[in-house]
PDB file of all heavy atoms in Angstrom:
ATOM      1  N   SER A 422      62.314 -76.835 198.322  1.00  0.00           N
ATOM      2  CA  SER A 422      63.451 -77.765 198.415  1.00  0.00           C
ATOM      3  C   SER A 422      64.775 -77.023 198.298  1.00  0.00           C
ATOM      4  O   SER A 422      65.725 -77.312 199.030  1.00  0.00           O
ATOM      5  CB  SER A 422      63.417 -78.831 197.327  1.00  0.00           C
ATOM      6  OG  SER A 422      62.120 -79.111 196.927  1.00  0.00           O
ATOM      7  N   LEU A 423      64.819 -76.057 197.373  1.00  0.00           N
ATOM      8  CA  LEU A 423      66.056 -75.286 197.229  1.00  0.00           C
ATOM      9  C   LEU A 423      66.370 -74.535 198.517  1.00  0.00           C
ATOM     10  O   LEU A 423      67.512 -74.484 198.972  1.00  0.00           O
ATOM     11  CB  LEU A 423      65.936 -74.279 196.077  1.00  0.00           C
ATOM     12  CG  LEU A 423      65.897 -74.834 194.656  1.00  0.00           C
ATOM     13  CD1 LEU A 423      65.683 -73.710 193.663  1.00  0.00           C
ATOM     14  CD2 LEU A 423      67.174 -75.590 194.333  1.00  0.00           C
ATOM     15  N   ARG A 424      65.317 -73.975 199.112  1.00  0.00           N
ATOM     16  CA  ARG A 424      65.504 -73.198 200.332  1.00  0.00           C
ATOM     17  C   ARG A 424      66.129 -74.066 201.411  1.00  0.00           C
ATOM     18  O   ARG A 424      67.083 -73.668 202.083  1.00  0.00           O
ATOM     19  CB  ARG A 424      64.157 -72.646 200.797  1.00  0.00           C
ATOM     20  CG  ARG A 424      64.237 -71.880 202.108  1.00  0.00           C
ATOM     21  CD  ARG A 424      62.897 -71.294 202.499  1.00  0.00           C
ATOM     22  NE  ARG A 424      62.990 -70.676 203.805  1.00  0.00           N
ATOM     23  CZ  ARG A 424      62.796 -71.311 204.945  1.00  0.00           C
ATOM     24  NH1 ARG A 424      62.491 -72.604 204.943  1.00  0.00           N
ATOM     25  NH2 ARG A 424      62.928 -70.682 206.095  1.00  0.00           N
ATOM     26  N   GLU A 425      65.593 -75.255 201.549  1.00  0.00           N
ATOM     27  CA  GLU A 425      66.119 -76.184 202.535  1.00  0.00           C
ATOM     28  C   GLU A 425      67.601 -76.450 202.307  1.00  0.00           C
ATOM     29  O   GLU A 425      68.414 -76.454 203.223  1.00  0.00           O
ATOM     30  CB  GLU A 425      65.363 -77.501 202.421  1.00  0.00           C
ATOM     31  CG  GLU A 425      65.369 -78.302 203.687  1.00  0.00           C
ATOM     32  CD  GLU A 425      63.957 -78.811 203.959  1.00  0.00           C
ATOM     33  OE1 GLU A 425      63.067 -77.998 204.262  1.00  0.00           O
ATOM     34  OE2 GLU A 425      63.773 -80.025 203.831  1.00  0.00           O
ATOM     35  N   GLN A 426      67.931 -76.615 201.037  1.00  0.00           N
ATOM     36  CA  GLN A 426      69.302 -76.923 200.647  1.00  0.00           C
ATOM     37  C   GLN A 426      70.267 -75.771 200.967  1.00  0.00           C
ATOM     38  O   GLN A 426      71.395 -76.003 201.378  1.00  0.00           O
ATOM     39  CB  GLN A 426      69.291 -77.196 199.143  1.00  0.00           C
ATOM     40  CG  GLN A 426      70.485 -77.895 198.592  1.00  0.00           C
ATOM     41  CD  GLN A 426      70.277 -78.108 197.076  1.00  0.00           C
ATOM     42  OE1 GLN A 426      69.144 -78.197 196.583  1.00  0.00           O
ATOM     43  NE2 GLN A 426      71.358 -78.199 196.349  1.00  0.00           N
ATOM     44  N   TYR A 427      69.806 -74.527 200.785  1.00  0.00           N
ATOM     45  CA  TYR A 427      70.737 -73.401 200.885  1.00  0.00           C
ATOM     46  C   TYR A 427      70.610 -72.598 202.185  1.00  0.00           C
ATOM     47  O   TYR A 427      71.388 -71.679 202.424  1.00  0.00           O
ATOM     48  CB  TYR A 427      70.566 -72.457 199.683  1.00  0.00           C
ATOM     49  CG  TYR A 427      71.023 -73.114 198.408  1.00  0.00           C
ATOM     50  CD1 TYR A 427      70.096 -73.627 197.503  1.00  0.00           C
ATOM     51  CD2 TYR A 427      72.381 -73.256 198.134  1.00  0.00           C
ATOM     52  CE1 TYR A 427      70.516 -74.260 196.344  1.00  0.00           C
ATOM     53  CE2 TYR A 427      72.809 -73.890 196.978  1.00  0.00           C
ATOM     54  CZ  TYR A 427      71.873 -74.390 196.091  1.00  0.00           C
ATOM     55  OH  TYR A 427      72.295 -75.024 194.953  1.00  0.00           O
ATOM     56  N   LEU A 428      69.637 -72.933 203.000  1.00  0.00           N
ATOM     57  CA  LEU A 428      69.434 -72.184 204.233  1.00  0.00           C
ATOM     58  C   LEU A 428      70.689 -72.265 205.106  1.00  0.00           C
ATOM     59  O   LEU A 428      71.252 -73.345 205.267  1.00  0.00           O
ATOM     60  CB  LEU A 428      68.220 -72.748 204.984  1.00  0.00           C
ATOM     61  CG  LEU A 428      67.490 -71.764 205.884  1.00  0.00           C
ATOM     62  CD1 LEU A 428      66.920 -70.609 205.056  1.00  0.00           C
ATOM     63  CD2 LEU A 428      66.360 -72.467 206.625  1.00  0.00           C
ATOM     64  N   GLY A 429      71.099 -71.142 205.654  1.00  0.00           N
ATOM     65  CA  GLY A 429      72.299 -71.134 206.489  1.00  0.00           C
ATOM     66  C   GLY A 429      73.519 -70.629 205.737  1.00  0.00           C
ATOM     67  O   GLY A 429      74.505 -70.237 206.340  1.00  0.00           O
ATOM     68  N   GLN A 430      73.471 -70.624 204.413  1.00  0.00           N
ATOM     69  CA  GLN A 430      74.605 -70.082 203.656  1.00  0.00           C
ATOM     70  C   GLN A 430      74.545 -68.559 203.648  1.00  0.00           C
ATOM     71  O   GLN A 430      73.468 -67.979 203.628  1.00  0.00           O
ATOM     72  CB  GLN A 430      74.549 -70.558 202.205  1.00  0.00           C
ATOM     73  CG  GLN A 430      74.760 -72.050 202.068  1.00  0.00           C
ATOM     74  CD  GLN A 430      75.247 -72.417 200.670  1.00  0.00           C
ATOM     75  OE1 GLN A 430      75.549 -71.565 199.848  1.00  0.00           O
ATOM     76  NE2 GLN A 430      75.326 -73.720 200.422  1.00  0.00           N
ATOM     77  N   THR A 431      75.719 -67.944 203.694  1.00  0.00           N
ATOM     78  CA  THR A 431      75.721 -66.494 203.449  1.00  0.00           C
ATOM     79  C   THR A 431      76.464 -66.225 202.149  1.00  0.00           C
ATOM     80  O   THR A 431      77.413 -66.926 201.808  1.00  0.00           O
ATOM     81  CB  THR A 431      76.375 -65.686 204.588  1.00  0.00           C
ATOM     82  OG1 THR A 431      77.603 -66.310 204.920  1.00  0.00           O
ATOM     83  CG2 THR A 431      75.495 -65.610 205.807  1.00  0.00           C
ATOM     84  N   VAL A 432      75.979 -65.232 201.462  1.00  0.00           N
ATOM     85  CA  VAL A 432      76.531 -64.902 200.149  1.00  0.00           C
ATOM     86  C   VAL A 432      77.132 -63.502 200.234  1.00  0.00           C
ATOM     87  O   VAL A 432      76.462 -62.567 200.675  1.00  0.00           O
ATOM     88  CB  VAL A 432      75.416 -64.931 199.081  1.00  0.00           C
ATOM     89  CG1 VAL A 432      75.936 -64.454 197.735  1.00  0.00           C
ATOM     90  CG2 VAL A 432      74.828 -66.326 198.981  1.00  0.00           C
ATOM     91  N   ASP A 433      78.377 -63.386 199.820  1.00  0.00           N
ATOM     92  CA  ASP A 433      79.031 -62.074 199.861  1.00  0.00           C
ATOM     93  C   ASP A 433      78.265 -61.055 199.031  1.00  0.00           C
ATOM     94  O   ASP A 433      77.737 -61.376 197.971  1.00  0.00           O
ATOM     95  CB  ASP A 433      80.451 -62.174 199.292  1.00  0.00           C
ATOM     96  CG  ASP A 433      81.384 -62.884 200.263  1.00  0.00           C
ATOM     97  OD1 ASP A 433      80.996 -63.026 201.455  1.00  0.00           O
ATOM     98  OD2 ASP A 433      82.479 -63.309 199.833  1.00  0.00           O
TER      99      ASP A 433
END
Side-chain angles (χ1 to χ4, degrees):
S422 331
L423 290 176
R424 177 177 175 272
E425 205 134 292
Q426 197 179 333
Y427 292 102
L428 207 62
Q430 293 203 7
T431 47
V432 174
D433 287 345

